[in-house]
Amino acid sequence: MQSTASLPAIGLDLAKSVFQLHIVDVETGEIQRRQIKRAKLTEFFAKCEPSLVAMEACGSSHFWARTIHSLGQTHLNR
């Protein structure tokens, strides 16, 4: 298992229909911002390399944490 310190980091801002992703490049520290619709979020994480996903703690965060974890991602709820 890979250390979480070496995993790419993705910040996930949860919403009702359009989510915000903040993807941090481990080597350069560059942040890429992207909007993604609810219907495409699972597909995105299924195709994504293993990452550390940080999201806010809210009503839907437990659902998304379970979904993202089942796709091989590591998650943090804060």
Side-chain angles (χ1 to χ4, degrees), residues 10-73:
I10 299 176
L12 176 59
D13 186 13
L14 300 171
K16 288 186 178 183
S17 59
V18 179
F19 298 89
Q20 294 287 331
L21 294 171
H22 307 276
I23 304 163
V24 181
D25 186 303
V26 177
E27 294 178 11
T28 64
E30 185 177 323
I31 300 173
Q32 177 187 7
R33 291 173 178 85
R34 181 184 309 188
Q35 288 186 344
I36 191 165
K37 294 191 178 196
R38 175 182 289 272
K40 297 287 185 178
L41 190 63
T42 304
E43 181 182 331
F44 170 82
F45 281 111
K47 293 179 180 178
C48 188
E49 66 180 276
S51 303
L52 177 62
V53 181
M55 67 186 88
E56 62 189 322
C58 66
S60 66
S61 65
H62 294 287
F63 168 79
W64 286 111
R66 286 189 303 270
T67 302
I68 290 168
H69 184 75
S70 73
L71 298 169
Q73 308 299 333

